[in-house]
């Protein structure tokens, strides 16, 4: 299934061309038939030579319905830009060409219509006129094909040209979505919405969310060109019957999606602007009130420049769009910016950031884009931009483990990415705090603004793994890389802990004044603390390991009851001890049993 569509000036033969291709009439409203004028989107289809369905969206050409034209183009794989041979290139042809460019339609064929009413000389004039205008707007050329919907001349060859261009297309990236272009109630069925499906397939019985109403319903049935189907694949035209969704919850311009998390509700967003013609300044003033057209929706906004506007277009103009109401957008979404109340296209925009930013962050984002005449593909990711702005981001597994942005290295840390320089700065802060005589409470150490405690805890765990710091009774202490002489009190504590043997020394018995000396024992790797509950000498811990595994071979298993019997401690203390032994890589939990996987002395302590 593919979706193509028409574009072009009013009365330039778009609907007649669709009828010639498909045999179907697209003007369905009484007013459309009375006035012979397309007002709303029309839909038709035909089967190509490979029996593949080609859906066609017929758009209105009149300037008063230009926003409806945008509604039909946002998901097109190919557009047929119609130019009547008698009129030639007209004002609305230019507007429609601008919208095709702004909506990033990947392929265009210029169709000269009504060739049966002009001579060869006039046809060549029109071709020359088309070439000149197309190059001015797109800085490239497109196939030009002449037809007559009245006589059928060129229609079959046009179908072959369409198939050839569709085959060569690169599919645009979309989130899973359908912009609703029609919504109605069918008796006995309920709410039905229609639109162009992109991104991912949908299935009957699947939950689907409507934005901005944020209502969740179920797909009751799907129709594609009057045929019921259980699955609809992108890119295709479909009608969806919704269970649990009212018509008011699913109006034209709303979004139906199975992945609402990929959209952001914005009352302001950041976009890059591009001129409607190459090497021309953008005809928009700072703080100007403009109209936005996107998907099957439109709204008004005020536009504010974030970075310096240069008339020579040598740098990207980053702008903040301030909206009257909250609207859902996705990263990378194309927008056409128009004059309020008119059909004139002022600029193309692309959504680059959908979260609010303070003035400092706005300036930083503007400076990031300033050196470029076209943005690097790396900047297409909002995660990358957030990483650049905030020095860290909680990743959705879409970023490489190591990447470089503007000369700075960023590294992966579990579910986060963080600037390497920032990582080292946080490490330094933690080490400085832990080097105090009694260390620093873990909860205090995890509080470093503006970073989330979850990220700080990951860095702390790394420092513990590297034996740079140790955790003692809820406090972090600096670890010594070399053995240092034990204090007198540390030696006394060492003996007291040894006396407790396999029972372990209770952490709650540690006096506040003894924390420093317990830290001394930890730094010298003389003791190990289990789950902030009990303390063992490292030698005692090794004896427990030996006792547990001495009569077992690698691969043998044992139960908690077996371990309790051998060591002689209660289940309350046995389970944390086994968890530590598992962390240290000696055993593996399999159901309720533990499997011996290593018989080698090894020691490390992690935050539990």
């Amino acid at each position: 299934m593919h979706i193509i569509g028409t574009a072009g000036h009013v009365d330039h033969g778009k609907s007649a061309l669709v009828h010639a291709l498909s045999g179907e009439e697209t003007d369905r409203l009484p007013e459309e038939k009375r006035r012979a004028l397309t007002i709303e989107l029309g839909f038709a289809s035909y089967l190509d030579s490979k029996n593949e369905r080609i859906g066609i969206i017929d758009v209105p050409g009149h300037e008063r319905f230009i926003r409806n034209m945008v509604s039909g183009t946002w998901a097109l794989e190919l557009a047929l830009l119609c130019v009547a041979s008698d009129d030639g290139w007209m004002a609305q042809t230019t507007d429609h060409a601008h919208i095709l460019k702004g909506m990033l339609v990947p392929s265009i064929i210029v169709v000269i219509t009504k060739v049966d009413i002009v001579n060869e000389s006039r046809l060549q004039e029109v071709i020359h006129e088309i070439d000149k205008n197309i190059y001015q707007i797109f800085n490239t050329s497109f196939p030009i094909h002449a037809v007559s919907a009245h006589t059928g001349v060129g229609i079959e060859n046009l179908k072959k040209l369409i198939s050839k261009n569709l085959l060569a297309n690169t599919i645009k990236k979309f989130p899973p979505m359908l912009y609703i272009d029609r919504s109605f109630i069918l008796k006995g069925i309920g709410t039905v919405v229609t639109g162009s499906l992109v991104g991912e397939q949908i299935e009957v019985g699947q939950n689907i969310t409507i934005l901005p109403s944020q209502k969740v319903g179920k797909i009751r049935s799907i129709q594609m060109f009057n045929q019921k189907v259980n699955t609809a694949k992108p890119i295709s035209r479909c009608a969806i019957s919704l269970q649990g969704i009212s018509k008011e919850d699913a109006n034209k311009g709303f979004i139906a999606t199975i992945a609402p998390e990929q959209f952001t509700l914005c009352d302001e967003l950041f976009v890059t602007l591009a001129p409607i013609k190459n090497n021309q300044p953008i005809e928009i003033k700072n703080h100007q009130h403009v109209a936005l057209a996107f998907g099957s929706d439109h709204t008004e906004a005020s536009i504010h420049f974030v970075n310096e506007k240069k008339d020579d277009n040598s740098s990207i103009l980053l702008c903040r769009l301030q909206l009257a109401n909250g609207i859902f957008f996705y990263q990378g979404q194309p927008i056409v910016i128009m004059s309020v109340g008119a059909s004139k296209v002022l600029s193309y925009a692309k959504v680059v950031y959908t979260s609010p930013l303070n003035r400092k962050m706005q300036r930083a984002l503007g400076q990031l884009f300033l050196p470029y005449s076209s943005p690097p593909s790396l900047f297409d990711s909002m995660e990358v931009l957030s990483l650049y702005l905030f020095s860290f981001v909680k990743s959705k597994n879409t970023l490489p483990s190591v990447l470089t942005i503007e000369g700075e290295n960023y590294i992966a840390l579990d579910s986060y990415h963080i600037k390497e320089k920032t990582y080292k700065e946080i490490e330094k802060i933690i080490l400085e705090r832990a080097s105090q005589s009694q260390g620093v409470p873990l909860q205090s150490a995890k509080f470093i603004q503006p970073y989330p405690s979850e990220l700080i805890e990951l860095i702390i765990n790394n420092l513990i793994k590297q034996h740079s710091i140790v955790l003692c009774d809820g406090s972090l202490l600096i670890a010594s890389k070399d053995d240092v002489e034990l204090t007198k009190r540390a030696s006394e504590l060492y003996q007291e802990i040894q006396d407790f043997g396999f029972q372990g020394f209770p952490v709650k018995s540690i006096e506040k004044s003894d924390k420093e000396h317990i830290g001394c024992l930890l730094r010298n790797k003389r003791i190990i603390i289990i789950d902030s509950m009990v303390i063992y000498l490292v030698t005692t811990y090794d004896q427990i390991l030996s006792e547990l595994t001495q009569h077992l071979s690698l691969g043998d298993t044992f139960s908690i009851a077996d371990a309790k019997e051998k060591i002689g401690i209660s289940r309350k203390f046995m389970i944390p001890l086994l968890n530590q032994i598992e962390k240290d890589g000696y055993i593996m939990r399999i159901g309720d049993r533990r499997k011996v996987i290593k018989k080698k002395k090894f020691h490390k302590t992690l935050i539990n």
Side-chain angles (χ1 to χ4, degrees), residues 463-474:
L463 287 170
I464 291 175
K465 288 178 185 177
Q466 296 160 13
H467 305 294
S468 299
I469 56 175
V470 290
L471 178 63
C472 170
D473 190 24

Side-chain angles (χ1 to χ4, degrees), residues 58-179:
D58 186 23
V59 305
H62 198 284
E63 63 179 336
R64 291 196 335 233
F65 310 116
I66 196 76
R67 286 157 184 77
N68 285 346
M69 185 267 175
V70 177
S71 299
T73 59
W74 72 273
L76 293 184
E77 296 173 80
L78 180 147
L80 304 174
L81 180 60
C82 297
V83 180
S85 58
D86 52 346
D87 286 342
W89 191 279
M90 301 288 282
Q92 261 61 64
T93 315
T94 298
D95 288 338
H96 282 219
H98 285 154
I99 289 170
L100 295 179
K101 184 178 179 182
M103 287 290 103
L104 308 177
V105 176
S107 185
I108 296 172
I109 298 172
V110 183
V111 181
I112 302 176
T113 60
K114 307 181 184 181
V115 293
D116 55 306
I117 62 172
V118 298
N119 57 30
E120 183 63 25
S121 174
R122 173 57 184 164
L123 182 60
Q124 292 305 314
E125 286 178 10
V126 174
I127 291 173
H128 177 73
E129 191 178 24
I130 289 169
D131 275 332
K132 181 183 70 174
N133 282 282
I134 288 293
Y135 193 82
Q136 283 181 347
I137 296 170
F138 295 94
N139 200 32
T140 189
S141 59
F142 295 128
I144 300 174
H145 188 77
V147 301
S148 168
H150 178 66
T151 66
V153 168
I155 296 298
E156 290 305 314
N157 284 337
L158 177 58
K159 287 183 177 181
K160 292 177 183 178
L161 187 58
I162 289 170
S163 296
K164 179 182 176 182
N165 278 264
L166 285 173
L167 193 63
N169 267 356
T170 300
I171 302 299
K172 288 194 294 182
K173 290 183 179 180
F174 292 101
M177 65 183 296
L178 176 147
Y179 257 116

Side-chain angles (χ1 to χ4, degrees), residues 438-446 470-477 507 510 515 522 529 531-533 607:
Q438 292 190 6
V440 59
L442 174 59
Q443 294 305 317
S444 298
K446 290 194 292 186
V470 290
L471 178 63
C472 170
D473 190 24
S475 293
L476 296 174
L477 300 160
V507 169
I510 299 174
K515 275 192 175 183
L522 281 167
I529 301 177
D531 200 27
S532 296
M533 294 173 66
I607 296 173

Side-chain angles (χ1 to χ4, degrees), residues 369-389:
F369 281 90
L370 197 59
Y372 300 96
S373 56
S374 60
S377 58
L378 187 65
F379 295 175
D380 289 341
S381 167
M382 188 166 169
E383 281 191 347
V384 167
L385 299 181
S386 293
L387 189 55
Y388 171 80
L389 291 173

